[in-house]
Amino acid sequence: MTLDLIPLLQSLVRIPSPNPPGDTRAIADYIAQTMRELGCTVTTPAPPNKPEAVSVIATAGTGEPIIMLHAHIDTVPVAADEAQQWHVDPYAAVIEDYRVYGKGSVDDKAPLAAMMTAVSHAISRGGERRGTLVLVAAAEEETGGRLGTRWLADNNHLPLCDFIIVGEQTHNRVATAHKGVMRATVRTTGRSVHATNPDRGVNAITAMARLVLALDDYHHRLAERAHPMVGVPTCNVGVIQGGSTANAVPDSCTVYLDRRMIPGEDPARVQQELVDVVSSVDIHPAQASVGEFQVSNWFNSTTDSPLAQTFLNCVREGLNADPGPIGYLPGSDAKHLIGVTRGEMVIFGPGSYEVAHAADEYTDIEELQTTAAILCDFMERTLFMDESR
Ligand SMILES: [Zn+2]
């Protein structure tokens, strides 16, 4: 039995899996059942502190090479102001103009459907097969992966692989790097007095204004560092909060910032840089602190191994164009899989991340068929003894 790509994608879209809340039981059931019928060994692990965040791991074959196909099964929710912007029901998987429309239709159910189809082809093809195929349909990617792929990796649910393909939106190019993110909170404290005589107080907003400008300088200096695929690191002050009324000197102000790290940047050093920027500005007698750091790591892979080179060739021939490698701008679960590969890892799939988290999300049917064909070709060249190429 081989799976039928487009009806499969429609079925996946028609099982909503928005995160939050991140309940993936229904879609995981469907995937587990489908993969069992194909003959895979299937497990459906979930973390004890979020038992409804079910992932699926389907395994076929034994021995080496061990190849993982990874996609996530949660989607972003349909936002309140987004619902009326859809021209179709976001969960109906309507086909129009050779596109499948729907929430999750490209992010990430399109690569998932292509991967499931490729596994079904490899199993049903016949002939002597070697190696192990592991399909991972992961929960919790849209909220950072800590209770999804990170949890699966840390709890030994994932085998050590020779090659990993993470399905995300790269227009079928091979991406081998994405940035990491450090979030941080900067606070200033001053002294509140009535606004009739502000000089008696210490204005925390004025102090923060100086820090914000210093952070902006830092952001511009970061442009001196550049990564060939993902570009420069950045520092963005995204939120500022302070004060309660115009007629009082504010005694506190807070900003939340987002520092994008390029591959190679050490999070501990980046943290120290932020501390240094804040302490370099004289805001006496106000005081400043920086903390509440949250890190989501970057990802970077080479493509030197025979498996990676074979994959690049499959993509080059499938697209009849330069396969990359390229950078991928958003983050992905690839960062959580670094410890489960002894080989290399790529990000690959149809579509663009720019249509992914928006109204009228769609996947282009022809592009998705190319994704599936490339994956099938890769299976053919790596898992079968009678390969002639
Ligand atoms: Zn995604």
Side-chain angles (χ1 to χ4, degrees), residues 171-173 314-323 348 370 374:
H171 274 313
N172 288 337
R173 302 298 161 114
C314 292
V315 175
R316 182 180 292 112
E317 289 165 30
L319 297 181
N320 199 17
D322 180 10
F348 168 77
T370 302
I374 289 168

Side-chain angles (χ1 to χ4, degrees), residues 176-177 179 225-233 262-264 300 325-328:
T176 56
K179 292 183 186 180
R225 304 172 200 173
H227 183 275
M229 285 177 207
V230 299
V232 296
I262 56 173
N300 197 24
I326 61 167
Y328 177 69

Side-chain angles (χ1 to χ4, degrees), residues 97-226:
D97 303 328
Y98 227 57
R99 293 168 167 181
V100 178
Y101 282 91
K103 185 52 82 182
S105 60
V106 72
D107 183 14
D108 202 27
K109 294 175 178 179
L112 176 63
M115 288 170 171
M116 290 171 70
T117 306
V119 173
S120 78
H121 274 280
I123 291 174
S124 64
R125 170 194 179 281
E128 198 179 340
R129 199 173 80 233
R130 60 179 173 188
T132 309
L133 261 181
V134 185
L135 177 99
V136 178
E140 291 289 297
E141 192 274 345
E142 295 293 0
T143 49
R146 275 172 293 281
L147 293 175
T149 299
R150 177 83 265 154
W151 180 83
L152 292 171
D154 289 347
N155 290 276
N156 299 316
H157 290 289
L158 305 176
L160 195 58
C161 295
D162 298 295
F163 190 62
I164 299 178
I165 301 172
V166 175
E168 290 285 4
Q169 296 72 54
T170 66
H171 274 313
N172 288 337
R173 302 298 161 114
V174 180
T176 56
H178 65 64
K179 292 183 186 180
V181 189
M182 178 176 292
R183 295 278 181 89
T185 304
V186 182
R187 296 178 193 281
T188 52
T189 26
R191 192 174 63 250
S192 188
V193 293
H194 195 278
T196 50
N197 193 350
D199 292 341
R200 285 173 40 244
V202 178
N203 192 312
I205 291 179
T206 310
M208 184 62 86
R210 296 198 178 98
L211 296 186
V212 169
L213 293 176
L215 288 164
D216 188 52
D217 274 350
Y218 170 62
H219 162 73
H220 288 291
R221 287 199 306 278
L222 288 174
E224 290 162 15
R225 304 172 200 173

Side-chain angles (χ1 to χ4, degrees), residues 30-316:
Y30 177 83
I31 297 163
Q33 177 70 20
T34 305
M35 300 314 287
R36 274 194 195 103
E37 282 168 12
L38 292 172
C40 293
T41 304
V42 176
T43 59
T44 52
N49 49 340
K50 190 169 180 183
E52 69 277 25
V54 178
S55 297
V56 182
I57 301 167
T59 308
T62 54
E64 294 174 0
I66 302 176
I67 295 174
M68 180 188 290
L69 306 175
H70 177 292
H72 62 90
I73 54 177
D74 60 329
T75 72
V76 289
V78 178
D81 59 343
E82 178 195 325
Q84 70 270 29
Q85 296 169 35
W86 279 83
H87 85 287
V88 290
D89 175 345
Y91 295 114
V94 171
I95 294 182
E96 239 180 58
D97 303 328
Y98 227 57
R99 293 168 167 181
V100 178
Y101 282 91
K103 185 52 82 182
S105 60
V106 72
D107 183 14
D108 202 27
K109 294 175 178 179
L112 176 63
M115 288 170 171
M116 290 171 70
T117 306
V119 173
S120 78
H121 274 280
I123 291 174
S124 64
R125 170 194 179 281
E128 198 179 340
R129 199 173 80 233
R130 60 179 173 188
T132 309
L133 261 181
V134 185
L135 177 99
V136 178
E140 291 289 297
E141 192 274 345
E142 295 293 0
T143 49
R146 275 172 293 281
L147 293 175
T149 299
R150 177 83 265 154
W151 180 83
L152 292 171
D154 289 347
N155 290 276
N156 299 316
H157 290 289
L158 305 176
L160 195 58
C161 295
D162 298 295
F163 190 62
I164 299 178
I165 301 172
V166 175
E168 290 285 4
Q169 296 72 54
T170 66
H171 274 313
N172 288 337
R173 302 298 161 114
V174 180
T176 56
H178 65 64
K179 292 183 186 180
V181 189
M182 178 176 292
R183 295 278 181 89
T185 304
V186 182
R187 296 178 193 281
T188 52
T189 26
R191 192 174 63 250
S192 188
V193 293
H194 195 278
T196 50
N197 193 350
D199 292 341
R200 285 173 40 244
V202 178
N203 192 312
I205 291 179
T206 310
M208 184 62 86
R210 296 198 178 98
L211 296 186
V212 169
L213 293 176
L215 288 164
D216 188 52
D217 274 350
Y218 170 62
H219 162 73
H220 288 291
R221 287 199 306 278
L222 288 174
E224 290 162 15
R225 304 172 200 173
H227 183 275
M229 285 177 207
V230 299
V232 296
T234 55
C235 180
N236 179 60
V237 174
V239 177
I240 185 161
Q241 290 168 346
S244 53
T245 171
N247 62 5
V249 170
D251 62 357
S252 71
C253 185
T254 306
V255 305
Y256 300 98
L257 63 86
D258 173 306
R259 168 71 163 80
R260 298 284 152 146
M261 299 176 288
I262 56 173
E265 285 195 303
D266 174 6
R269 260 189 82 175
V270 170
Q271 194 171 313
Q272 187 58 46
E273 286 175 10
L274 291 171
V275 171
D276 291 347
V277 169
V278 168
S279 58
S280 71
V281 184
D282 181 10
I283 56 168
H284 182 81
Q287 291 184 327
S289 69
V290 52
E292 294 158 50
F293 298 104
Q294 289 173 30
V295 174
S296 167
N297 215 348
W298 41 262
F299 154 73
N300 197 24
S301 179
T302 51
T303 50
D304 299 330
S305 66
L307 285 168
Q309 286 296 315
T310 301
F311 189 68
L312 281 166
N313 285 332
C314 292
V315 175
R316 182 180 292 112

